[in-house]
Each structure stands twice: as C-alpha cells, then as structure tokens.
Amino acid sequence: NTENHDGRTLDNEKNDTAREKPDKPNTYPLAVAEKDQKEAEQKYGKDRILTDIELEGFDLRFPEQFLDNHYEILRQRLEQLKQLQPRAPPKWKLIITTDPRFTQGKVAACDIHFAAVYIHPYFFSLPESKQLEVLYHELISHIANNENDEEKALQDTAIFRLSVKYRELKNNSG
C-alpha cells in the first residue's frame, strides 16, 4: 500500500481501515463554512488528520494525542453523554481531521461499519449543547444504534435534545 504524507493510504488503494475515506459516511447536517474550513487549514494544515485514537465506551485517554483544548472539550462532552446516555459503542475510533472528504464538508460524520466518528476542528467552536448533540448523533444515533437511515437517526437525536432540555428545565425549576 502506498501512503501519503500523513499516513493515509491513497484513494486509489483499497485498505480496510477507518482512515480511508469513507464510502458513504453519515453526516451531521451542519456545514462547515468555507471561511471556517480555510481557518482550520491555515491553523492545522490542509487535509490533515490531527487525532486518530481508539476508545472504549466513553473512556477518553491519551491526551498527548490531541491538539489545543480538544482533549478537555471532548472529555467533558463524553462525560456529559455518559451521564445522560450510559450506553456507548464498546470500541470506536475518533478521528479529528481538516480533510472535508471524511466529513463531507460537515462538522462531523461517522462510518458505522468501522465504528468511526470524524470531527472537523470547527466542532470545537460550537456551543457546548451543540457539541453534545453532534457527538450524540454520530456516536449513539448512528453507531450505537447501528442506524444508517439519516431520518431515523435525526429523530433519535431530536428526542435526545428534548430530553436534555426537559432535564434542564426540571433542574432549574426545582
């Protein structure tokens, strides 16, 4: 297999790994604006994989594998998800990348077959509640539920979003 500068196999090679461009990823329906893509490329490099790790459940390890505040933000969101939704895929991959082929130009995507979640650095500029929703959508609605149907996954995510809002209202009124 021929590899390019960042270790990914070239697109014309077939390699059965999550680092290969997914054939048909499930995406979160929030586009990365052109200016945000350019900012990410200026800061981190064009078509770069910044982080590529395997996780077990919600257990985020290896902080040295992350740039900037990415580890801390993801650790907090995964801890929140664990409190709200205690089931995660037993093993899954997290890939943070500036390569829009992995996310189809969206903030996040996943490949159910490889149990891989792809996140664009733009994710880290989103409000906490949106970060939580995006992670839930890719990790739970698609991968944990083994759901390829985007409409069903979006319905599941909408129910999650409402349950979070309900808990917040309940806690604030109590």
Side-chain angles (χ1 to χ4, degrees):
N1 283 347
T2 308
E3 292 190 350
N4 67 6
H5 66 280
D6 64 356
R8 285 183 292 124
T9 56
L10 297 174
D11 286 342
N12 61 355
E13 297 284 327
K14 261 310 198 193
N15 184 9
D16 206 23
T17 71
R19 284 186 86 155
E20 180 183 327
K21 184 176 76 71
D23 291 330
K24 191 169 186 263
N26 296 95
T27 60
Y28 184 84
L30 176 61
V32 174
E34 192 175 327
K35 76 171 190 62
D36 295 311
Q37 177 64 29
K38 287 193 184 317
E39 282 178 20
E41 288 174 358
Q42 285 174 348
K43 185 171 185 176
Y44 301 111
K46 185 175 173 62
D47 299 340
R48 290 260 336 272
I49 291 178
L50 311 178
T51 301
D52 181 348
I53 62 164
E54 288 192 19
L55 288 89
E56 293 181 13
F58 293 111
D59 186 23
L60 188 64
R61 297 172 297 179
F62 312 113
E64 69 278 2
Q65 298 289 320
F66 292 84
L67 299 175
D68 300 335
N69 60 350
H70 297 176
Y71 174 82
E72 189 55 35
I73 288 173
L74 283 167
R75 189 192 63 72
Q76 289 172 10
R77 291 313 146 263
L78 289 170
E79 186 57 39
Q80 287 174 291
L81 259 186
K82 185 178 181 179
Q83 301 303 315
L84 297 166
Q85 180 65 43
R87 63 182 173 83
K91 289 188 184 229
W92 58 285
K93 279 185 89 61
L94 172 68
I95 298 172
I96 302 172
T97 180
T98 61
D99 189 338
R101 295 174 299 177
F102 285 93
T103 61
Q104 304 295 294
K106 307 292 188 198
V107 71
C110 72
D111 185 315
I112 296 170
H113 176 73
F114 293 116
V117 174
Y118 306 96
I119 294 177
H120 188 277
Y122 175 64
F123 169 90
F124 298 98
S125 69
L126 297 173
E128 284 183 25
S129 60
K130 185 56 79 174
Q131 291 173 350
L132 190 64
E133 184 178 316
V134 168
L135 276 176
Y136 178 90
H137 181 76
E138 301 304 339
L139 189 60
I140 307 300
S141 295
H142 280 298
I143 295 175
N145 293 348
N146 196 29
E147 183 59 70
N148 264 314
D149 185 316
E150 190 61 39
E151 197 169 308
K152 288 181 183 174
L154 285 169
Q155 288 172 351
D156 180 67
T157 302
I159 291 167
F160 171 76
R161 183 176 47 246
L162 290 172
S163 72
V164 169
K165 289 196 183 305
Y166 173 77
R167 287 178 194 187
E168 288 172 357
L169 289 171
K170 189 175 164 189
N171 290 340
N172 291 337
S173 67

